[in-house]
């Protein structure tokens, strides 16, 4: 009930406010005087707050005044006098008096200083007044020669955890989380991303050059205004806006090379054949290759069409590829119109080779064109209009069989089965049924090509009206956004005929190769296409009020926003209904003397997931801040700590789970059903089945608490921001899995059952540029993030054994057996618990598992939680910047600690998959009857599924530490001295070299530890090194 | 000035639009034609809802060694056939007996058999209210009886797997509290009474609407696979036979399996009369439906041996011949099953359909088949030779070829059931060279051809495999089984009753083997009750081989601890030439007392504190 009043009241006020507007308009007079006259005005900061105590000086006459409690000043000046306004923490403001006698002054805070403007949800605040936990990153750090911005985030911002999962152009973006993953089950764990004021836009849509600021909101006080969307944290990004002043043109060009950070080392032909023979013999099979055959294969002069010996990875991949970026932007404007426009082009090639023989382009290449046009207009003195349009079109070309698959296949193919091609451009391979075995070389050169076209246009229109005539400091704005996104795929693919050398009679009578066709295909390229489209519309209305009364600074905000996402390419009626949500939010902040700060935030969100009666949820939060260093008693300490602040926040934010219209019971009328009748006379009835049980579900709520301390030392040069946090989330969406099977439900109904507890801390240490000599300066920045999320409640039935209960475990852990080493003798097998349920009869050299319940049998009741999961609890980053004259160099390292991964597939069981796959070169590190190794990488090798069954299951044996430290970026450059350009119109220019992912250190050796794969067959991450030239001119 | 008013107005207009629409902004609701209210609105949806009751009828063709929602691969759990070569098949864990109560199959079938129970109950409760303009009273009555019978049959399938289970009389609402969900198992006899009562009601409901033109002893509109009066009666007999069998009839092993309130789940008093009730039910079925509705399937051929071979082969693959009582029609998954049983046949051209070749037959099953003369192989009069080779032409071959003596002159059902080494394959395609099955190590279907797809015993299952893999039905219950049930039950309470040998001999006669009796070509029947019991059990093993019956029989008779603790034997598939024919132990398997009933899935026991676990789990 209370909530409804709240909602009603504020909409009522907005009505009144807007209505009054219609009837009011004030004329502005200006009078020109020639004598010494009074100039008056109001001094505000960037946020519109009155600045009290600002020194206004007439530089010509030496006259000085101080602004009063309302921020007003009055000073005498004659025409032509120079004046200035100055205030601690702000850039000086200078102007020359000509004719304007009411000179309102807006002072810019010193960048990075305490009075600087910080981005918060639906607005801005002074940095000193922040009571919530948030961090931002310097945009310069994100400008690296990579396609996707989010790969640059991990380690740079405290509280952000990120992993780059693949290096394939066009899909090399990273997964990011704020303060780790706090949820489980099917609920989303990623942060809400707000770009230019609206959600649903992607970070990777932007070119880093176009970004003005980048902020993450980490606790409830900063995210509560996003209501039910904020529980996983929020990322706010704004694109650059125009500036009053001369037009500044910027051009930037870089050209780089890319390389794999790590190519998996696969066995060569000799190693492969010997190991395969060993595995076969150990599995009671005859060896596959005779010594003669092995010798011939390894003999460089042998006919390798008959004795194939292929290094597939080496064949398919170049050592380097390239990328390229070009940016051009223009920024400037007059008092009434300011603009920022930019064009960008980015191009990245993959390391896949092409044979250059086809008359089409099967090269793997990603190209993207970005544009931004942001225009601010002051339609009247009090009416501002913003129109921002940004977007991109991109194009990704790849071989018909797919670039990702090519990498996978080239790792998983035998080096000795067939050559890359047979003479006469014939595709080599064997057939498994009617599908050919993979031939990755043919995949990238012979299968045609696929092109993916994407485009996006995001448009923001915003009208802002100051309403000072109603009450001072009041303003209102309306924002409307419309975005459209489309993807189109065109495939021109083919399956050519496949040939295989006769194994019984390799040569024809005339001595030529006896090739048998195993698959009959076609050389004609087929055509196929698919497309999809998304669009979204949002509308937002906001009223802001900011006023300073003496020592009291009060700021209030209410906002309404709604978002609608129609799905024009939906394939069913329900999905075609636009996805909608609604959010009301408000904020009240109070500051006293720059010492005490309090803030109340609340969001009130509505979603279609929930029934009309419980559709809205309320998420309040409160935050407190205390700047001790502004207290009298701090004076003695101010020599050590120039700034010291404590803050605490406590509040709620939400997360939506479940399905749309979760409250409605729906059926499907094409369930499996039944056939009746005989083959000659039969009838099929589809079944009607419950598709979804309507459930009275609600929101997941996160109760966040955060304690933060910020302090500066070394004369404000060294700054620390440290936060401890606790997030208790309850009501996580889960199926009601404790519903007994005898109820006969088709699916378990949804419910809010899950609970987690996420605790951790994060921090930033920053050394602002320290001049060491007159030319040399040094700065440093380091961040760290730690979190651990425990599953508190999953609403499951009690477990048989305590070690089977996931409650109390970290949420990302896996289940498996505990390996107790390898069986070293038959006697050991006989006395150990019966492992036949795991995979038949274990052999000497196989993994021995712990009998956790002591029943003498190893089965699923002996599994427990092993490993911590592949998202690390610890993330850290540190970087150093050195400037020497016109030279600069900066290096950044990123690392994670405490993550592990269970390896699987070929990496776990070298000879158990398809009959022909390759194995890691590391497979030589295995148990053999000769070495009886205690702790090799692999247990005894075996060939086939059955002999490998004992070892090819989840166990601690296969859990590998994937912590790493990565030399993430290295940037150095030279700012060309200005004198060079004196006559060219250039303002400044820089020659630079940027490098990304130079190298890493990790205990994990098989593949780049960041990749999300259990067997290494993902296109690896890349190292990008680029040189560029950037020039600014007026 | 005007401009300013315009802007302010613009903001106002948008503001007004926002706030007038926002209260209804989220009030979009999907079309309710897909809500559960629409089910009984028309005939088509009513039919579809009833189809959902039938949807989980088991389909052994779908068996890939695991357990899907309508699977039923019980043949591999018995001593008939095995998937040993492929470790991944979860079904093998049964044979090792190393599984726990959380084993996948336990969890799957428990839930999948209770789903139609819920659907059927909902259907029965609501069908009378179906839209009368579309759903006639006749259809209502017929469908209601079908749903009622199917619900009882699913309970029967639960009962024979898990023993006594909770009988749920009304659908449990999804808002039920945890206390409401804490139900107990219903004692075995009550389960049986409930199932029998429901089947009787369904029978009565069908009987009441039976007409001359549309008798309910035949499926509605000839839609074979639907419940008929005969299906009701046949399953009633099945339930009663189960209840009379040693596993459930006074089994002291289960004397301590009680609900937490002390209610025993298994009656401890052996009741011989249960056999009589079962026998009477079988007899009643035979009297009412044979031969008008059901009869043994036979084939005419001048050669009686060939006629018997064809009859035994085709009875199972000829959809809905007069012997079929219940089955699942038109399986789409028949290819899975045939793939498992068709040899690999590497090296023959693409015109020959090739399979995975790993659904192996155990030597014990091979040994169970009678000789051509009707004697079991261990009888001195059988002329069985364990070793050596003869030139022999089996009933489906085109010429005689060298054949291991064990496979020479066996009864027709052996050649129906088993593919053995060096035998002519049924699908020759357009191959220029004769397609002959070779299971020796390096043979075309030998172990060397694959690292996991091969016959572990050197035999493959052949019953119900045909050249094509077009959709067919799977027979779940046929008249022969009722005859054998009758003979078995009768022998238990009235040994010496002439009907025992009469019905046993009907089966043997059709199979082309000598009958029991005192005639010149007949085999003397045993004189003791236990001797007769043995020949009945033996006949069942052979007649109903691979038809998902043996596993339940061994459990019913409490014979599984003997039969399923024998090592699995077969030919030596690691050898070539004559060494192949050396019999070898393939695998040791285990069946302990706990295996007589499946575990109540441990997840279910954990969810419901009142649900007691079966013995030993």
């Amino acid at each position: 009930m209370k909530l409804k009043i709240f909602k009603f009241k504020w909409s009522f006020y907005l009505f009144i406010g807007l209505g009054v507007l219609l009837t009011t308009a004030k004329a502005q007079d200006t009078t020109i005087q020639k004598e010494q006259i009074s100039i008056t005005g109001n001094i505000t900061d960037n946020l519109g707050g009155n600045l009290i105590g600002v020194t206004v000086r007439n530089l010509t006459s030496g006259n000085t005044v101080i602004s009063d409690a309302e921020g007003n000043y009055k000073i005498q000046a004659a025409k032509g006098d120079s004046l200035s306004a100055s205030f601690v923490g702000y850039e000086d403001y200078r102007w020359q008096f000509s004719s304007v006698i009411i000179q309102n002054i807006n002072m810019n805070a010193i960048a990075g200083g305490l009075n600087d403007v910080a981005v918060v949800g639906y607005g801005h605040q002074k940095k000193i007044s922040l009571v919530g936990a948030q961090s931002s990153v310097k945009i310069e750090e994100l400008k690296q020669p990579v396609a996707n911005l989010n790969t640059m985030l991990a380690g740079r911002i405290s509280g952000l955890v990120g992993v780059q999962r693949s290096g394939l152009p066009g899909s090399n973006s990273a997964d990011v989380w704020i303060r780790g993953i706090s949820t489980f089950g099917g609920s989303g764990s990623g942060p809400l991303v707000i770009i230019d004021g609206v959600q649903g836009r992607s970070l990777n849509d932007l070119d880093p050059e176009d970004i003005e600021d980048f902020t993450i909101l980490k606790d409830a006080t900063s995210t509560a205004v996003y209501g039910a969307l904020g529980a996983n944290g929020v990322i706010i990004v704004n694109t650059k806006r125009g500036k009053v002043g001369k037009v500044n043109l910027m051009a930037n060009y870089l050209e780089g090379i890319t390389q794999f950070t790590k190519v998996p080392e696969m066995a060569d032909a000799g190693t492969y054949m010997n190991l395969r023979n060993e595995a076969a013999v150990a599995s009671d099979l005859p060896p596959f290759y005779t010594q003669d055959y092995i010798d011939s294969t390894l003999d460089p002069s042998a006919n390798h069409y008959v004795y194939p010996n292929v290094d597939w990875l080496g064949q398919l991949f170049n050592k380097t590829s390239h990328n390229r970026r070009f940016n051009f932007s223009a920024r400037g404007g007059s008092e009434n119109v300011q603009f920022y426009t930019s064009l960008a082009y980015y191009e990245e090639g993959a390391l896949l080779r092409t044979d250059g023989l086809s008359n089409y382009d099967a090269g793997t290449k990603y190209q993207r064109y970005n544009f931004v046009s942001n225009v601010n207009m002051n339609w009247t003195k009090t009416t501002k209009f913003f129109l921002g349009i940004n977007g991109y079109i991109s194009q990704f070309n790849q071989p018909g069989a797919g670039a990702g698959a090519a990498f996978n296949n080239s790792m998983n193919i035998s080096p000795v089965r067939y050559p890359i091609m047979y003479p006469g451009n014939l595709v080599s391979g064997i057939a498994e049924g009617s599908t050919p075995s993979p031939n990755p070389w043919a995949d990238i050169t012979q299968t045609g090509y696929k092109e993916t076209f994407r485009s996006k246009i995001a448009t923001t229109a915003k009208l802002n009206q100051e309403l000072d005539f109603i009450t001072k400091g009041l303003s209102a704005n309306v924002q409307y956004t419309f975005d459209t996104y489309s993807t189109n795929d065109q495939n021109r693919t083919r399956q050519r005929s496949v040939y295989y050398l006769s194994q019984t009679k390799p040569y024809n009578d005339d001595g030529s190769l006896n090739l048998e066709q195993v698959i009959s295909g076609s050389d004609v390229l087929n055509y196929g296409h698919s497309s999809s489209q998304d669009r979204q519309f949002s509308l937002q209305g906001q009223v802001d009020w900011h006023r300073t009364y003496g020592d009291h600074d009060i700021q209030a905000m209410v906002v309404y926003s709604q978002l609608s996402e129609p799905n024009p390419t939906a394939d069913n009626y329900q999905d075609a209904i636009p996805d909608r949500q609604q959010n009301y939010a408000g904020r009240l902040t109070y500051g006293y003397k720059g010492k005490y700060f309090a803030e109340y935030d609340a969001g009130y969100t509505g979603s279609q997931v929930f029934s009309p009666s419980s559709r809205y949820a309320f998420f309040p939060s409160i935050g407190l801040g205390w700047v001790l260093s502004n207290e009298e008693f701090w004076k003695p300490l101010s020599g050590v700590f120039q700034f010291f602040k404590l803050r605490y926040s406590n509040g709620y934010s939400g997360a939506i789970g479940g399905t749309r219209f979760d409250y409605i019971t729906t059926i499907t009328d094409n369930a499996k059903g039944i056939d009746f009748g005989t083959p000659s006379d039969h009838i099929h009835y589809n079944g009607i089945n419950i598709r979804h049980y309507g459930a009275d579900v609600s929101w997941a709520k996160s109760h966040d608490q955060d304690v933060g301390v910020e302090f500066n030392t070394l004369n404000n040069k060294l700054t620390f921001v440290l936060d401890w946090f606790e997030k208790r989330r309850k009501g996580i969406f889960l199926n009601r899995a404790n519903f007994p099977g005898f109820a006969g439900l088709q699916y378990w109904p949804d419910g809010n059952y899950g609970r987690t507890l996420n605790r951790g801390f994060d921090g930033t240490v920053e050394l602002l540029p320290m001049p060491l000599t007159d030319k040399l300066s040094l700065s440093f920045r380091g961040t760290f993030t730690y979190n651990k999320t425990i599953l508190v409640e999953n609403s499951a039935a009690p477990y048989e054994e305590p070690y089977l209960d996931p409650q109390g475990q970290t949420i990302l852990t896996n289940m498996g057996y505990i390996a107790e080493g390898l069986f070293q003798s038959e006697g050991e097998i006989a006395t150990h618990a019966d492992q036949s349920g795991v995979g038949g009869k274990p052999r000497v050299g196989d993994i021995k598992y712990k009998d956790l319940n002591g029943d003498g049998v190893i089965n699923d009741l002996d599994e427990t939680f092993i490993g911590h999961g592949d998202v690390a609890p610890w993330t850290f980053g540190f970087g150093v910047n050195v400037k020497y004259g016109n030279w600069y160099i900066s290096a950044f390292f990123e690392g994670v600690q405490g993550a592990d991964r269970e390896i699987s597939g070929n990496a776990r069981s070298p000879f158990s998959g398809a009959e022909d796959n390759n194995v890691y070169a590391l497979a030589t590190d295995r148990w053999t009857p000769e070495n009886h190794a205690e702790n090799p990488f692999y247990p005894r090798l075996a060939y086939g599924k059955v002999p490998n069954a004992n070892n090819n299951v989840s166990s601690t044996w296969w859990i590998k530490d994937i912590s790493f430290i990565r030399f993430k970026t290295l940037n150095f450059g030279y700012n060309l001295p200005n004198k060079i350009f004196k006559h060219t119109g250039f303002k400044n220019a820089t020659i630079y070299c940027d490098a990304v992912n130079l190298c890493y250190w990790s205990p994990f050796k098989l593949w780049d530890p960041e990749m999300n794969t259990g067997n290494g067959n993902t296109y690896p991450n890349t190292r990008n090194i680029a040189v560029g030239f950037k020039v600014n001119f007026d | 000035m005007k401009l300013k008013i315009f802007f302010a107005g613009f903001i106002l207009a948008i503001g007004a639009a926002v706030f007038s629409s926002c209260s209804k902004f989220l009030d979009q609701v999907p079309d309710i034609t897909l809500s559960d209210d629409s089910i009984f609105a028309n005939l088509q949806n009513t039919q579809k809802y009833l189809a959902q009751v039938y949807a989980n009828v088991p389909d052994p063709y779908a068996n890939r060694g695991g357990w899907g929602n309508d699977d039923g691969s019980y043949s591999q759990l018995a001593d008939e056939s095995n998937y040993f070569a492929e470790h991944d098949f979860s079904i093998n864990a049964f044979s090792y007996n190393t599984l726990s109560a959380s084993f996948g199959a336990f969890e799957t079938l428990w839930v999948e058999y209770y789903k139609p129970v819920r659907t059927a109950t909902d259907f029965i409760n609501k069908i009378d209210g179906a839209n009368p303009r579309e759903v006639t009273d006749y259809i209502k009555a017929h469908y209601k009886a079908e749903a009622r019978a199917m619900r009882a049959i699913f309970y029967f399938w639960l009962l024979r797997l898990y023993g006594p289970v909770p009988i749920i009389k009304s659908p449990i609402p999804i808002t039920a509290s945890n206390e409401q969900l804490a139900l107990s198992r219903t004692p075995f006899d009550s389960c049986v009474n409930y199932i029998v009562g429901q089947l009787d009601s369904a029978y009565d409901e069908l009987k009441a609407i039976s007409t001359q033109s549309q008798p309910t002893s035949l499926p509605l509109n000839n839609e074979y696979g639907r419940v008929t009066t005969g299906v009701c009666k046949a399953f009633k007999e099945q339930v009663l036979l189960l209840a009379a069998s040693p596993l459930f009839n006074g089994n002291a092993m289960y004397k301590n399996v009680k609900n937490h309130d002390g209610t025993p789940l298994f009656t401890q008093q052996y009741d011989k009369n249960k056999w009589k009730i079962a026998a009477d039910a079988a007899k009643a079925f035979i009297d009412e439906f044979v031969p008008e509705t059901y009869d043994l399937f036979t084939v005419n051929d001048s050669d009686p041996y060939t006629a018997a071979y064809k009859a035994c082969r085709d009875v199972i693959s000829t959809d809905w011949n007069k012997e079929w009582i219940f089955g699942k029609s038109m399986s789409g998954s028949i290819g899975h099953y045939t793939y498992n049983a068709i040899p690999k046949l590497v090296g023959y051209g693409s015109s020959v359909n090739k399979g995975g070749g790993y659904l192996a037959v155990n030597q014990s099953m091979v040994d169970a088949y009678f000789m051509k003369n009707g004697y079991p192989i261990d009888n001195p009069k059988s002329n069985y030779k364990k070793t050596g080779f003869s030139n022999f032409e089996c009933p489906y071959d085109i010429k005689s070829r060298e054949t291991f003596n064990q496979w020479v002159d066996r009864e027709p059902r052996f050649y129906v059931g088993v593919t053995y080494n060096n035998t002519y394959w049924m699908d020759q395609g357009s191959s220029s060279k004769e397609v002959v099955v070779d299971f020796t190590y390096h043979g075309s279907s030998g172990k060397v051809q694959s690292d996991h797809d091969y016959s572990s015993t050197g035999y493959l299952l052949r019953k119900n495999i045909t050249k094509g893999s077009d959709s067919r039905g799977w027979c779940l219950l046929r008249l022969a089984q009722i005859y054998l049930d009758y003979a078995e039950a009768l022998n238990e309470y009235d040994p010496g009753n002439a009907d025992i040998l009469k019905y046993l001999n009907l089966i043997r006669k059709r199979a082309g083997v000598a009958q029991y009796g005192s005639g010149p070509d007949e085999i003397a029947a045993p004189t003791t009750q236990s001797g007769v019991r043995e020949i009945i059990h033996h006949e069942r093993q052979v007649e109903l081989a691979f038809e998902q019956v043996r596993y339940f029989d061994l459990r019913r008779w409490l014979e599984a601890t003997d039969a399923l603790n024998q090592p699995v034997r077969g030919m030596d598939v690691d050898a070539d030439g004559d060494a192949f024919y050396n019999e070898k132990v393939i695998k040791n398997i285990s069946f302990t007392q706990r295996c007589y009933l499946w575990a109540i899935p441990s997840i279910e026991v954990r969810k419901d504190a009142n649900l007691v676990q079966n013995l030993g789990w």
Side-chain angles (χ1 to χ4, degrees), chain A residues 700-937:
Chain A
K701 257 192 175 179
S702 180
H703 181 193
D704 296 3
Q705 293 187 76
D706 186 288
V707 177
V709 52
E710 302 173 12
F711 56 91
N712 298 352
T713 181
L714 287 185
N715 210 9
N716 274 327
K717 284 292 186 197
L718 187 58
T719 68
F720 291 82
V721 180
L722 306 170
D723 278 275
W724 288 261
F725 65 88
E726 178 185 279
K727 290 167 173 283
R728 288 177 182 272
R729 189 175 295 201
K730 63 179 180 186
I732 293 170
F733 266 73
L734 291 178
N735 293 330
R736 192 174 169 187
N738 65 348
F739 222 88
F742 56 64
L745 297 183
Q746 299 296 333
Y747 315 96
W748 307 139
D750 283 341
N752 299 100
Y753 296 107
R755 280 168 54 202
T756 59
L757 170 59
N758 181 2
R759 281 197 180 121
F761 44 88
D762 49 49
T764 309
V765 183
E766 190 166 9
L767 178 68
L768 297 174
M770 277 282 271
L772 298 176
T773 69
D774 59 340
K775 278 186 154 181
L776 182 67
S777 76
L778 173 83
S779 63
F780 169 89
R781 185 177 160 96
T783 72
F784 64 91
T785 303
Y786 170 82
N787 90 289
K788 183 175 182 183
T789 307
I790 301 289
L791 195 161
V792 177
E793 168 72 58
N794 63 354
S795 166
Y799 293 85
E800 288 94 340
E801 306 283 353
Y803 57 78
L804 293 168
D805 188 347
Q807 294 167 131
Q809 305 288 337
T810 58
I811 53 169
L812 294 178
T813 182
N814 295 312
M815 290 209 86
Y817 297 106
I818 294 176
E820 291 186 305
L822 303 180
F823 287 118
Q824 299 291 356
S825 69
E826 287 292 348
E828 214 179 325
I829 296 175
T831 54
H832 191 72
D834 181 2
Q835 292 195 177
S836 60
V838 177
K841 192 179 172 332
R843 308 162 304 161
V844 179
D846 279 358
I847 304 173
K848 177 164 73 174
Y849 301 114
K850 192 167 183 180
D851 184 10
L852 284 178
N853 60 1
D855 65 353
V857 168
I858 305 292
N859 59 22
D860 52 355
L861 293 180
D862 297 302
E863 293 187 49
T864 187
F865 295 93
I866 56 175
H868 303 95
D870 63 333
V871 177
W874 282 101
T875 302
F876 51 87
F878 52 92
V880 182
N881 306 297
V882 179
K883 262 189 133 159
Y884 182 78
N886 286 330
W887 292 92
Y888 71 87
I889 181 164
S890 64
F892 184 80
F893 296 82
E894 177 217 338
V896 304
Q897 177 66 42
D900 49 40
R901 179 178 291 289
E902 183 182 344
I903 61 172
S904 60
N906 286 351
R908 177 156 89 187
S909 204
F911 293 106
S912 77
E915 288 180 37
D916 282 278
N917 60 278
N918 203 352
V919 303
Y920 280 92
L922 192 67
T924 50
D925 180 13
R926 81 285 185 206
W927 187 97
T928 64
E930 292 73 36
N931 70 14
H932 270 268
E934 290 287 342
N935 197 25
F937 194 90

Side-chain angles (χ1 to χ4, degrees), chain A residues 636-752:
Chain A
L637 282 171
S638 59
V640 185
F641 297 109
Q642 291 73 39
F643 173 73
F644 198 98
K645 177 177 167 187
L646 291 174
R647 49 186 165 72
Y648 170 71
S649 73
N650 189 333
Y652 295 90
S653 54
I656 305 178
T659 53
R660 285 178 81 194
F661 310 116
D662 210 312
Y663 60 97
I664 299 175
T665 296
T666 55
I667 58 171
T668 170
D669 61 356
N670 60 357
K672 194 174 67 173
I674 188 87
D675 286 273
F676 294 125
T678 62
S680 58
D681 178 16
H682 57 88
I683 181 166
H684 175 74
Y685 291 99
N686 282 342
I688 277 187
N689 212 349
I690 302 294
R691 179 156 88 160
H692 178 80
Y693 291 101
D696 192 17
V697 284
S698 181
W699 315 75
K701 257 192 175 179
S702 180
H703 181 193
D704 296 3
Q705 293 187 76
D706 186 288
V707 177
V709 52
E710 302 173 12
F711 56 91
N712 298 352
T713 181
L714 287 185
N715 210 9
N716 274 327
K717 284 292 186 197
L718 187 58
T719 68
F720 291 82
V721 180
L722 306 170
D723 278 275
W724 288 261
F725 65 88
E726 178 185 279
K727 290 167 173 283
R728 288 177 182 272
R729 189 175 295 201
K730 63 179 180 186
I732 293 170
F733 266 73
L734 291 178
N735 293 330
R736 192 174 169 187
N738 65 348
F739 222 88
F742 56 64
L745 297 183
Q746 299 296 333
Y747 315 96
W748 307 139
D750 283 341
N752 299 100

Side-chain angles (χ1 to χ4, degrees), chain A residues 865-1010:
Chain A
F865 295 93
I866 56 175
H868 303 95
D870 63 333
V871 177
W874 282 101
T875 302
F876 51 87
F878 52 92
V880 182
N881 306 297
V882 179
K883 262 189 133 159
Y884 182 78
N886 286 330
W887 292 92
Y888 71 87
I889 181 164
S890 64
F892 184 80
F893 296 82
E894 177 217 338
V896 304
Q897 177 66 42
D900 49 40
R901 179 178 291 289
E902 183 182 344
I903 61 172
S904 60
N906 286 351
R908 177 156 89 187
S909 204
F911 293 106
S912 77
E915 288 180 37
D916 282 278
N917 60 278
N918 203 352
V919 303
Y920 280 92
L922 192 67
T924 50
D925 180 13
R926 81 285 185 206
W927 187 97
T928 64
E930 292 73 36
N931 70 14
H932 270 268
E934 290 287 342
N935 197 25
F937 194 90
Y938 289 109
R940 186 172 187 175
L941 296 182
Y943 188 85
K945 274 193 178 171
V946 184
N948 274 301
N950 181 75
N951 299 332
N952 194 7
V953 293
S954 292
S955 77
T956 51
W957 189 271
W958 305 115
I959 299 279
K960 304 292 176 189
D961 184 354
I962 54 166
S963 303
F964 63 84
I965 294 178
R966 189 181 293 277
F967 191 172
K968 187 74 178 179
T969 56
L970 174 68
N971 311 90
F972 62 90
Y974 180 67
N975 295 317
L976 274 64
N978 281 351
K979 58 189 176 196
I980 297 179
F981 305 112
K982 236 170 207 169
H983 307 293
T984 60
F986 288 8
K987 206 158 103 187
N988 57 54
T990 307
I991 298 174
Y992 60 89
C993 174
D994 291 341
V996 176
N997 283 345
L998 284 99
C999 56
Y1000 68 85
W1001 299 267
S1002 173
F1004 187 72
K1005 302 298 180 201
L1006 289 182
W1007 56 81
D1008 188 322
E1010 244 182 298

Side-chain angles (χ1 to χ4, degrees), chain A residues 2 32 66 93 110 134 169 180 192 272 368 422 458 535 541 543 601 618 660 668 693 808 815 875 907-908 910 1011:
Chain A
K2 221 175 179 179
I32 299 163
I66 306 285
Y93 185 90
I110 292 168
Q134 63 183 89
L192 173 70
Y272 172 81
R368 189 179 65 193
Y422 286 117
R535 43 182 62 190
V543 178
D601 300 85
F618 183 62
R660 285 178 81 194
T668 170
Y693 291 101
M815 290 209 86
T875 302
R908 177 156 89 187
M1011 293 188 324

Side-chain angles (χ1 to χ4, degrees), chain B residues 189-205:
Chain B
D189 287 348
S190 305
C191 289
V192 170
N193 290 340
Y194 174 79
I195 296 168
V196 168
Q198 288 293 304
L199 287 168
D200 281 342
S201 302
Y203 173 87
D204 292 343
E205 284 165 348

